Amino acid sequence: MQANPSDVVGRAARFRLGIFLVGPLMALLALAMPAYAEEILRIPYAIDIGTFDPDNGFEVDGISAVNNVYEGLVEYAPGSTQIVGLLAKRWEISNDGLSYTFHLEDGVKFHDGTALTAQAVVGSLERRRDGRLVLSYMLGNVADISAPDDATVVVRLKQPQPSFLDALASAWGPKVISPLALTEHDKSDGATNWLGEHAVGTGPFKLAEFKRGEGYVLERNADYWGKSPYFDKIEIPVVPDIGQQILKLKAGELDVVPTNFPFAQLNHLPAELEVTAAPSMTQYALFIKPGSPLDNPEIRRAVLSAINPSFWVKDVFGPYAELSKSAYQNLMLDPADRIEFPSDIDAAKAAIARLGEVNLVIGLHSAKATYARISDRLIVQLALIGVKATAHVLPPGAAFALKGDPNAPDALLTISSPDAAHPENQARAFFTKDAPLNFYGRSLPEADAIVDVAGTKTDVAERNALYEKAGRLYVESGHLIPLVDVKDVVVHAKGLTDLGQRPAFPPGNIDFATVRWAR
């Protein structure tokens, strides 16, 4: 059948009219809607970031942001203490243990477009070593850093240090900063002032917004050399109060409460929230003041019977903690001969009655609820054997000024967590005579000498046996009382997965490069 010419003309006119109307409509829709819905992760920090300079601050809450903007040569694999390559794709260690040769990844660029070279790595490592910065100590054993070619970095040590790779993999380990940024912003201060609130690294995210006291924004690095992260943007408001964090999480205004969620509430979460618990090196311990009643071996044994953590660990932490096995975190070292607390309450009570009145003051390193819950249980348990104990929260920073203070508490309840996963880092941080976190300045030369030998050993079994021996001496001398190892517990909206927590990192520091929605 042949078409009517007038019908054809009519249809053509209507088609042109449709195009005329649809075109503007589509343009309006394009203006009203983004090209795609941004994926944004909203996670609060309880403590404001002091500095974004990766060499000059011991950030705790904020280290996840720093480590997603900057990268080092190596890192700990998520959920593990295994060291894997990051900017270094492989490395070799010389037979004498003094030279470390790192081969860099190809095609890496800084956020300002500058190419990563071995010379850039050398410059960053020298800044960390020589800059008299807060974290310069981590490279204190480095004698020389060189770049034989653009893709190779050689680090030579003053003396063998089997824990050196752990220092590089630490949450606070050396990161690589754009040499262009270091040069442009060096005002005779190594660019420390500028880097306090700015950043140019190689990481999967860029620092997009820094508002001190308010919050921070990271944006995905579109030119990242590795696997592209799931989230386009990370929004990090500063919310100091844990109650406010929880309210905002339940209201859908936040996606995560990364740390300090009350353990007592974890069994009563609403259906839209869930818990991710991961291995951690968070160990609660009591450090003992020289000259306190606990220096008496009989009193100490009675006290150990009363405060035996097997009596209270489930009450305080539920399924999220286990008894400490030694002076080292359970994940760091599995001892052949684990610490055993006495548990004869009647014998302890009789000993205290015989020895006379015993009073103990426990200082709490923090006002966080967990410290109070532990100290409350200790006080109740000690009362059962006739020991009168009290506890109080120390002022901020006071725990670091207890040496030689006659008014210091008899014991300090604190978390002993090292800056890396090697036993050397634990011993040198907390136990040896000059350890920066040997809170009361106690000295045990016999144990320190064993640590000196252990620090030279590359055989893991041999080194661990020595560290364990030294650790037992510290405990038996009344240096400290290890209590419990607690998991890294993160509460978040249901469906968030691959949080990338690392045991040697501070709790709550999820990896923005791996976390995603399971959709």
Side-chain angles (χ1 to χ4, degrees):
M1 179 183 297
Q2 187 174 4
N4 187 321
S6 62
D7 290 340
V8 174
V9 172
R11 285 196 298 271
R14 289 193 296 273
F15 178 77
R16 289 193 298 271
L17 178 61
I19 292 295
F20 177 78
L21 293 175
V22 170
L25 180 60
M26 293 301 294
L28 287 172
L29 288 173
L31 290 173
M33 297 176 61
Y36 63 92
E38 277 192 318
E39 291 286 358
I40 300 174
L41 180 71
R42 301 160 300 169
I43 177 172
Y45 283 170
I47 301 174
D48 198 12
I49 294 177
T51 177
F52 222 87
D53 187 335
D55 296 324
N56 204 33
F58 218 98
E59 300 299 324
V60 176
D61 284 35
I63 199 65
S64 55
V66 174
N67 284 343
N68 274 273
V69 170
Y70 289 106
E71 296 175 308
L73 292 170
V74 298
E75 65 175 344
Y76 289 120
S80 169
T81 58
Q82 177 188 0
I83 297 173
V84 296
L86 190 52
L87 291 179
K89 56 187 174 184
R90 69 181 188 278
W91 59 90
E92 299 93 36
I93 305 173
S94 63
N95 291 334
D96 62 6
L98 291 175
S99 290
Y100 289 69
T101 301
F102 298 94
H103 304 278
L104 303 182
E105 289 281 358
D106 303 318
V108 180
K109 290 186 177 181
F110 291 96
H111 299 158
D112 58 11
T114 305
L116 173 73
T117 64
Q119 291 77 13
V121 176
V122 170
S124 287
L125 294 183
E126 288 180 339
R127 176 181 190 264
R128 166 71 71 100
R129 182 192 61 179
D130 303 331
R132 297 183 181 179
L133 305 173
V134 171
L135 298 173
S136 291
Y137 75 93
M138 300 187 86
L139 296 183
N141 187 37
V142 172
D144 181 68
I145 313 164
S146 60
D149 58 57
D150 284 349
T152 308
V153 175
V154 178
V155 179
R156 187 160 182 83
L157 306 182
K158 300 173 185 176
Q159 59 188 25
Q161 181 186 343
S163 63
F164 180 63
L165 286 178
D166 285 272
L168 297 186
S170 165
W172 301 277
K175 306 300 187 295
V176 184
I177 306 170
S178 163
L180 180 60
L182 288 175
T183 299
E184 286 186 345
H185 302 287
D186 185 358
K187 307 300 181 184
S188 300
D189 63 350
T192 54
N193 186 57
W194 187 82
L195 287 171
E197 298 186 359
H198 303 83
V200 187
T202 59
F205 286 92
K206 299 179 180 182
L207 178 60
E209 192 172 293
F210 188 107
K211 292 185 177 179
R212 193 175 297 281
E214 297 182 29
Y216 312 92
V217 176
L218 307 184
E219 292 181 352
R220 180 166 58 184
N221 176 12
D223 298 319
Y224 184 53
W225 64 274
K227 182 179 179 181
S228 181
Y230 176 91
F231 285 100
D232 300 289
K233 185 180 293 184
I234 312 294
E235 294 181 350
I236 309 171
V238 177
V239 185
D241 183 69
I242 184 62
Q244 285 296 313
Q245 289 189 21
I246 293 171
L247 288 175
K248 288 177 177 291
L249 176 66
K250 291 180 177 179
E253 297 173 23
L254 293 172
D255 300 307
V256 184
V257 167
T259 188
N260 296 326
F261 202 103
F263 286 91
Q265 298 181 25
L266 294 177
N267 289 331
H268 310 287
L269 294 177
E272 66 272 15
L273 300 181
E274 61 184 344
V275 174
T276 293
S280 171
M281 290 194 184
T282 298
Q283 183 187 77
Y284 283 87
L286 287 167
F287 285 78
I288 310 303
K289 175 185 175 182
S292 82
L294 293 171
D295 274 355
N296 183 319
E298 288 188 89
I299 292 177
R300 190 164 67 247
R301 181 172 178 81
V303 166
L304 288 173
S305 300
I307 67 172
N308 187 333
S310 64
F311 294 150
W312 50 265
V313 62
K314 295 299 181 186
D315 183 37
V316 175
F317 295 104
Y320 301 109
E322 61 183 10
L323 305 184
S324 298
K325 298 178 182 179
S326 75
Y328 306 89
Q329 291 76 13
N330 297 346
L331 279 172
M332 177 184 288
L333 189 153
D334 188 10
D337 185 16
R338 63 177 295 169
I339 292 173
E340 296 289 347
F341 280 77
S343 57
D344 190 335
I345 296 296
D346 290 336
K349 186 175 181 180
I352 295 299
R354 184 178 69 257
L355 292 166
E357 183 174 312
V358 176
N359 298 287
L360 291 176
V361 178
I362 303 171
L364 308 183
H365 198 155
S366 169
K368 293 177 181 177
T370 303
Y371 284 88
R373 285 177 64 82
I374 293 175
S375 64
D376 287 348
R377 299 316 186 275
L378 298 184
I379 291 169
V380 169
Q381 292 294 129
L382 288 168
L384 294 176
I385 64 169
V387 172
K388 298 178 181 178
T390 58
H392 65 272
V393 178
L394 297 178
F400 306 108
L402 297 177
K403 294 178 184 178
D405 181 357
N407 299 314
D410 299 303
L412 172 69
L413 178 63
T414 188
I415 292 173
S416 66
S417 292
D419 56 14
H422 196 286
E424 179 79 357
N425 295 73
Q426 177 76 352
R428 295 294 182 189
F430 293 97
F431 307 148
T432 56
K433 180 181 178 181
D434 298 321
L437 298 178
N438 181 348
F439 295 101
Y440 290 102
R442 298 189 73 116
S443 176
L444 194 62
E446 178 186 357
D448 288 2
I450 296 172
V451 170
D452 288 341
V453 176
T456 67
K457 302 299 182 182
T458 56
D459 181 86
V460 173
E462 183 181 11
R463 86 173 191 203
N464 284 357
L466 289 168
Y467 284 118
E468 179 184 344
K469 182 178 180 180
R472 179 163 288 278
L473 289 174
Y474 292 125
V475 172
E476 290 176 348
S477 73
H479 200 109
L480 77 155
I481 303 172
L483 297 172
V484 293
D485 283 33
V486 182
K487 290 184 177 180
D488 181 2
V489 175
V490 176
V491 180
H492 54 82
K494 185 163 288 186
L496 203 65
T497 188
D498 293 345
L499 273 61
Q501 295 145 286
R502 289 165 169 80
F505 281 24
N509 279 280
I510 69 176
D511 191 341
F512 302 146
T514 62
V515 65
R516 62 184 178 85
W517 292 113
R519 294 171 177 167

